[in-house]
């Protein structure tokens, strides 16, 4: 039996940013810098919902106690890690599932499938979704390089997020460079490494909304303006994503992608299929590359992506005719619609 939706909801937001909480325990003031937490909670309050905030750092007790003391109609899950380990995001979702608390975003199964980049690609390939060929180098094991992989390769942490551990040096051209990069990631990040074949082409990000019925949002693209120059970036590295001055130096821009209709049909189909296969919920972003001969390769899927106002996902929704507040409300509505009451 479906839960009966209400116009005004008691919503508890789970967040992880201790520094922001110290400035404003309930995210009600104006942030010093753009903040997804502030934007989402401001939108929820403007929509008329009653919103409280629960921080999650390295202990689950405050979260459990807070939810049990004041049971919400919905949890808006804005936490992507626990105890500084992103691999635990699935466990936070699993805890909410065991407590039978409705929450936004992908559940524990989908988070597990997407966090492990190798598992994600293996599953997609099994269902005939095109992905780059790859290999995993487990932490603490001898380095064995398969001959079937073709250079250049992109070498990165297997459980990373937000382009952590990705730089221009991640694009390796031979065995020597790859061994050096794998060793560095093993040492610095203490996790497995994935090396995948570099796909030359356009890098495009596609947001998807919904559950039973999916809405594929207008595509966003990163344009590498000076990629042909010596040492020019051709990957969405950490600095490309998070350093404005670096983007200006190399004339790198993020903007809406102009895609031919037949290519867009392939992209949209690949994104819908990936969304279903990976058990994504409510909203997500799929990252992909389109080669010069118009083949679509899925790079990865991002459950619970950045939904800061003005960033890719929110901008794509706006272009599709969904202003920011309504975009946040759609996430809430989708989350509630898929929840069932206890039996």
């Amino acid at each position: 039996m479906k839960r009966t939706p209400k116009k005004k909801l008691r919503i508890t937001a789970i967040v992880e940013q201790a520094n922001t909480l110290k400035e404003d325990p309930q995210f009600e003031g104006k942030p010093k810098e753009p903040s997804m937490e502030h934007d989402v909670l401001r939108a929820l309050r403007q929509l008329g919902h009653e919103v409280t905030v629960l921080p999650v750092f390295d202990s689950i007790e405050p979260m459990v106690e807070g939810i049990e003391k004041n049971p919400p109609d919905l949890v808006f899950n804005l936490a992507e890690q626990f105890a500084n380990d992103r691999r635990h995001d699935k466990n936070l979702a699993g805890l909410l599932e065991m407590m039978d608390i409705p929450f936004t975003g992908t559940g524990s199964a989908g988070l597990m499938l997407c966090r492990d980049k190798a598992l994600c690609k293996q599953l997609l390939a099994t269902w005939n979704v095109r992905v780059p060929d790859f290999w995993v180098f487990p932490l603490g094991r001898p380095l064995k390089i398969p001959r079937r992989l073709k250079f250049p390769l992109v070498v990165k942490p297997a459980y990373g997020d937000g382009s952590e551990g990705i730089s221009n040096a991640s694009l390796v051209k031979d065995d020597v460079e790859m061994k050096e990069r794998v060793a560095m990631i093993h040492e610095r990040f203490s996790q497995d490494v994935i090396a995948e074949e570099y796909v030359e082409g356009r890098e495009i990000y596609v947001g998807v909304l919904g559950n039973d019925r999916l809405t594929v949002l207008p595509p966003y693209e990163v344009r590498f303006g000076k990629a042909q120059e010596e040492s020019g970036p051709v990957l969405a590295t950490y600095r490309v994503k998070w350093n404005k001055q670096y983007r200006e130096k190399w004339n790198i821009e993020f903007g809406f992608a102009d895609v031919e209709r037949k290519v867009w049909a392939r992209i949209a189909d690949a994104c819908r299929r990936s969304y279903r296969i990976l058990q994504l919920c409510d909203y997500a972003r799929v990252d992909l590359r389109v080669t010069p001969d118009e083949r679509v390769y899925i790079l990865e899927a991002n459950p619970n992506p950045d939904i800061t106002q003005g960033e890719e996902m929110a901008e794509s929704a706006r272009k599709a005719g969904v202003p920011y507040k309504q975009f946040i409300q759609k996430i809430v509505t989708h989350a509630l619609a898929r929840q069932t009451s206890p039996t």
Side-chain angles (χ1 to χ4, degrees), residues 14-34:
I14 295 177
V15 301
E16 63 188 43
Q17 295 186 3
N19 293 335
T20 309
L21 277 171
K22 289 177 181 177
E23 295 173 8
D24 178 5
Q26 292 299 323
F27 291 96
E28 293 177 339
K30 184 177 180 180
K32 295 180 179 179
E33 297 180 357

Side-chain angles (χ1 to χ4, degrees), residues 26-212:
Q26 292 299 323
F27 291 96
E28 293 177 339
K30 184 177 180 180
K32 295 180 179 179
E33 297 180 357
S35 163
M36 178 175 67
E37 290 78 8
H38 277 87
D39 287 350
V40 170
L41 299 181
R42 181 174 61 247
L44 290 171
R45 288 174 175 135
Q46 290 174 348
L47 288 162
H49 301 303
E50 179 184 329
V51 184
T52 57
V53 178
L54 278 178
V56 175
F57 304 125
D58 57 3
S59 174
I60 63 171
E61 281 80 4
M63 184 182 85
V64 174
E65 291 174 0
I67 290 174
E68 290 182 338
K69 184 177 180 180
N70 296 296
D73 299 309
L74 178 74
V75 165
F76 207 112
N77 184 15
L78 294 170
E80 298 180 80
Q81 60 186 346
F82 179 78
N84 294 319
D85 191 335
R86 295 190 183 277
R87 286 170 287 186
H88 289 322
D89 59 352
K90 66 181 184 301
N91 298 328
L92 289 176
L95 178 62
L96 293 171
E97 289 166 351
M98 288 191 295
M99 295 177 70
D100 193 34
I101 299 294
F103 63 95
T104 61
T106 295
S108 58
L111 291 172
M112 177 190 67
L113 295 176
C114 292
R115 178 61 64 195
D116 186 329
K117 298 181 188 301
L119 181 60
C120 173
K121 287 181 170 62
Q122 287 171 338
L123 186 56
L124 292 177
T126 298
W127 287 91
N128 297 316
V129 175
R130 186 180 285 117
V131 298
D133 198 6
F134 68 94
W135 193 258
V136 176
F137 300 99
L139 181 66
R141 296 186 187 178
L143 190 65
K144 296 181 180 180
I145 303 174
R147 292 185 178 181
R148 66 178 174 83
L149 285 181
K150 299 176 182 178
F151 289 99
L153 297 168
V154 180
V155 181
K156 54 189 178 181
Y159 309 108
D161 188 64
S163 290
E164 293 171 327
I166 301 178
S167 69
N168 289 342
S170 299
L171 186 63
V172 300
K173 301 178 180 63
D174 53 42
D175 288 3
V176 174
E177 290 184 358
M178 185 166 72
K179 289 178 181 178
E180 291 176 352
R181 193 67 187 176
V182 170
M184 185 281 292
I185 295 175
H186 277 163
E187 180 179 356
R188 182 176 298 180
F189 293 90
S190 299
Q191 61 178 266
D192 297 347
V193 174
I194 184 171
E196 63 185 41
E197 291 183 359
Y198 171 68
V199 177
E200 183 177 359
R202 302 170 65 184
E203 182 147 335
I204 294 176
Y205 308 137
V206 180
V208 182
L209 282 173
N211 293 305
D212 294 335

Side-chain angles (χ1 to χ4, degrees), residues 209-225:
L209 282 173
N211 293 305
D212 294 335
R213 298 179 62 182
L214 301 182
T215 300
V216 182
L217 300 175
Y220 234 71
E221 180 175 10
V222 53
R223 301 182 181 93
F224 299 98

